[in-house]
Amino acid sequence: MSSEFRNTVRANLAKPEVRANFYRAMDGLMTRRLDQFPDKAELERLRTQSMAIRANALSKLPELLETLEANLTRNGIQVHWAETPEQGNQIVQAILERHNAKSIIKGKSMVSEEMGMNHFLEALGIECLESDLGEFIIQLDGETPSHIIMPAIHKNRVQIAKLFHEKFPDIPYTEDVDELTQMARRILRDKFYATTVGLSGVNFMVAETGTLCLVENEGNGRMSTTAPSVHIAVTGIEKVVESLSDVPPLLSILTRSATGQPITTYFNMISGPRKPGEKDGPEEVHLVLLDNGRSNIYSDPELLATLRCIRCGACINHCPVYVRIGGHSYGTVYPGPIGSILEPQKAGLDVHGELAQASTLCGACSEVCPVRIPIPSILNRLRYDGVRRDTANTNTVGSGKRRTLSEAATWKTWAWAATHPAIYHAGSTLATRFKGMLPTNLGAWTTVRSAPKLAESTLHQQVKNLGVDHE
Ligand code: SF4
């Protein structure tokens, strides 16, 4: 692991309050999810069905994207393709400039985080206001999300109360959650009406009908997509599903896995701009489809499963590493298990390959994943790609870049010894005989553990002493 990653993790581990916030929140989310699936057979059936829906969509991705574009265009939604975050930001900039917009109000969108949109637009003098309560809180504090569905989960009520009081000193101090929420609601309400352009993410895009589906709890998504006269939706190319009938099972498992809710408060289906005679809705709707490495992931039959993700966050909530180190330790837009497989593939193993190591491979993530993504297998594959020598046989960006001579030599020596029984036997006999001379300080490994102790005799000797015929 790089010293930068190690230092960030160490710094976050030293914040007991943040760790307590994560523990409390993740405990609650795990319990609520469990309560939503009292029937294990139904859960497994729904997981299999959801996996099949996503796998089917990915198996036809190019055709479905063409159908989607045709149907969205027929519905009056303008479709834009962006290969990189920079291109995506430029598309958004051009739309804003055409409308002479100096501000934008945003519903929650992880893809806009991926694009670094706020920084990009703010550098152009355009105000970006987050309207999701969690995003609003972290924006006030100049932070990034620490969780994909609950961006401010690392903060507790008192911390948020103090932050609001610091940023809005005219408003009386309160730690009452309802009052804090009302405060944010009042501040944001006027902005929805005063802003020309609203931006949102997308949970599912239905190719068959040209519909954009948006799942949310606060109503800010609906406000961002209907009150301003222009709506820009941004999402990744993988979010497409084939038909409308694919949505209910995915929606059902998404909300139950994510927050333990049977359904979210709002479910928006956007099928075009306001039609003549309609009283509300935007006059223009745009969809920006971001690739950002997804096509490359798509080209690998094993890594392709990564794109099944419906961003429920369940793998994050159940990850023993995430709950200890917190979302900000990862230093990426997507933290936790999904981040550890997605970010190294997007940015390259040379940039974020260490995240694939930041896992115990306990498998809790894949046990709860609603679309059965085999996260531990993908982590192992990325670990292998990071150190592999034959980099010509893989498309993973940064393959072989994590290979170090010392590590390669160590494993080569071990492999050689393990395949030469006489050498291995001599080595293990010597090690047991002189075990008292072996080091007990094994660096970082022994800062929180005792060094493993060698047995009194080798396994071969023990078996021999028991009189077992090794044949
Ligand atoms: S990998 Fe699975 S569990 Fe994790 S966010 Fe994606 S769909 Fe949810």
Side-chain angles (χ1 to χ4, degrees), residues 148 254 257 306 308-316 337-338 341 365-366 368-373 375:
I148 60 173
L254 168 66
S257 302
T306 311
R308 292 210 293 261
C309 178
I310 55 172
R311 305 284 191 272
C312 70
C315 57
I316 301 176
I338 179 59
I341 57 170
C365 47
S366 60
V368 295
C369 177
V371 286
R372 297 189 188 279
I373 299 176
I375 296 173

Side-chain angles (χ1 to χ4, degrees), residues 115-415:
M115 290 159 64
M117 188 188 290
N118 289 13
H119 284 133
F120 176 85
L121 293 179
E122 278 161 8
L124 298 170
I126 297 168
E127 183 198 21
C128 295
L129 184 64
E130 298 286 353
S131 65
D132 172 90
L133 184 57
E135 292 276 357
F136 179 71
I137 291 166
I138 58 167
Q139 187 176 37
L140 283 180
D141 217 4
E143 290 184 317
T144 54
S146 60
H147 190 287
I148 60 173
I149 55 167
M150 286 153 296
I153 200 80
H154 55 288
K155 289 191 184 299
N156 61 29
R157 185 169 47 98
V158 176
Q159 290 168 319
I160 294 168
K162 285 181 183 160
L163 177 67
F164 272 43
H165 191 59
E166 183 196 322
K167 300 292 173 182
F168 308 110
D170 294 344
I171 302 174
Y173 179 83
T174 177
E175 291 177 9
D176 184 284
V177 174
D178 287 340
E179 280 186 38
L180 289 167
T181 310
Q182 285 305 321
M183 206 184 281
R185 191 171 185 268
R186 277 194 299 276
I187 294 163
L188 290 167
R189 199 77 184 171
D190 294 339
K191 297 278 186 181
F192 282 117
Y193 295 116
T195 310
T196 315
V197 180
L199 186 132
S200 75
V202 179
N203 291 90
F204 313 113
M205 307 181 286
V206 185
E208 174 188 55
T209 53
T211 307
L212 307 178
C213 303
L214 182 59
V215 182
E216 48 130 357
N217 270 318
E218 298 172 16
N220 68 306
R222 183 160 297 178
M223 291 294 285
S224 308
T225 58
T226 53
S229 56
V230 180
H231 168 214
I232 306 173
V234 292
T235 195
I237 55 169
E238 81 282 14
K239 292 282 181 71
V240 67
V241 293
E242 186 167 18
S243 54
L244 209 49
S245 60
D246 290 337
V247 175
L250 290 179
L251 176 63
S252 170
I253 203 161
L254 168 66
T255 60
R256 292 200 269 170
S257 302
T259 48
Q261 292 171 281
I263 189 151
T264 44
T265 316
Y266 294 87
F267 178 64
N268 307 282
M269 299 179 81
I270 300 156
S271 297
R274 178 195 305 198
K275 294 190 178 58
E278 287 183 346
K279 292 202 170 106
D280 52 19
E283 284 148 26
E284 256 182 46
V285 180
H286 298 262
L287 172 68
V288 181
L289 285 163
L290 180 69
D291 186 311
N292 196 23
R294 288 163 172 83
S295 293
N296 195 49
I297 300 173
Y298 184 72
S299 68
D300 187 293
E302 187 184 3
L303 301 177
L304 165 68
T306 311
L307 300 179
R308 292 210 293 261
C309 178
I310 55 172
R311 305 284 191 272
C312 70
C315 57
I316 301 176
N317 305 343
H318 290 76
C319 178
V321 175
Y322 172 88
V323 81
R324 280 164 184 78
I325 67 174
H328 287 148
S329 293
Y330 292 79
T332 50
V333 171
Y334 303 96
I338 179 59
S340 297
I341 57 170
L342 183 59
E343 296 285 4
Q345 294 186 69
K346 283 200 294 116
L349 291 164
D350 43 340
V351 183
H352 287 313
E354 62 199 355
L355 295 186
Q357 308 288 337
S359 167
T360 61
L361 300 180
C362 71
C365 47
S366 60
E367 270 181 34
V368 295
C369 177
V371 286
R372 297 189 188 279
I373 299 176
I375 296 173
S377 310
I378 296 178
L379 287 169
N380 265 333
R381 162 69 190 278
L382 295 174
R383 289 179 183 187
Y384 170 54
D385 277 0
V387 297
R388 67 193 290 166
R389 199 207 297 258
D390 56 334
T391 53
N393 295 329
T394 174
N395 280 344
T396 317
V397 183
S399 276
K401 291 278 170 49
R402 301 190 59 75
R403 185 180 174 84
T404 61
L405 277 180
S406 58
E407 208 174 301
T410 305
W411 285 112
K412 209 166 178 177
T413 309
W414 183 85

Side-chain angles (χ1 to χ4, degrees), residues 411-425:
W411 285 112
K412 209 166 178 177
T413 309
W414 183 85
W416 176 79
T419 49
H420 291 77
I423 303 285
Y424 191 86
H425 185 63

